[in-house]
């Protein structure tokens, strides 16, 4: 659907924002480990754990990282739909 395509586009922008922040050294190694765990959770369709990690990010680093954290929730939603 058009909404799904828009969400997928927002996820793509979020990945680019994360990549940019990584390149600038603005994402700590501890956060990067959790991003990897988030990716593993999504790959394994463990959306409960993925949501917990996304929520953790929202509470701990939202102010400086929201550009890529917000799309994580969209990624979870799309994953639940089978994308």
């Amino acid at each position: 659907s058009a909404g799904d395509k828009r969400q997928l586009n927002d996820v793509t922008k979020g990945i680019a924002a994360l990549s940019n922040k990584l390149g600038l050294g603005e994402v700590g190694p501890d956060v990067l480990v959790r991003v990897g765990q988030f990716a593993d959770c999504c790959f394994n369709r463990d959306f409960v754990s993925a949501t917990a990690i996304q929520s953790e990010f929202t509470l701990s680093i939202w102010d400086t990282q929201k550009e890529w954290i917000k799309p994580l929730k969209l990624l979870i939603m799309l994953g639940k739909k089978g994308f």
Side-chain angles (χ1 to χ4, degrees):
S1 75
D4 291 340
K5 288 179 184 176
R6 185 176 62 250
Q7 288 179 338
L8 193 55
N9 186 49
D10 289 345
V11 169
T12 301
K13 289 178 185 176
I15 292 168
L18 174 59
S19 179
N20 183 52
K21 287 196 174 273
L22 284 169
L24 295 172
E26 296 179 2
V27 177
D30 54 333
V31 173
L32 192 54
V33 168
R34 294 297 279 161
V35 169
Q37 291 168 344
F38 174 87
D40 289 344
C41 291
C42 289
F43 181 78
N44 292 315
R45 303 190 58 76
D46 179 2
F47 299 117
V48 172
S49 296
T51 298
I53 294 170
Q54 187 268 336
S55 296
E56 172 190 317
F57 288 157
T58 301
L59 293 172
S60 62
I61 57 173
W62 178 261
D63 291 343
T64 60
Q65 306 291 328
K66 62 182 160 245
E67 299 86 358
W68 61 266
I69 294 172
K70 186 175 182 183
L72 296 181
K73 189 167 189 168
L74 298 175
L75 185 60
I76 293 166
M77 290 168 44
L78 289 168
K80 286 179 178 178
K81 290 181 180 181
F83 275 80

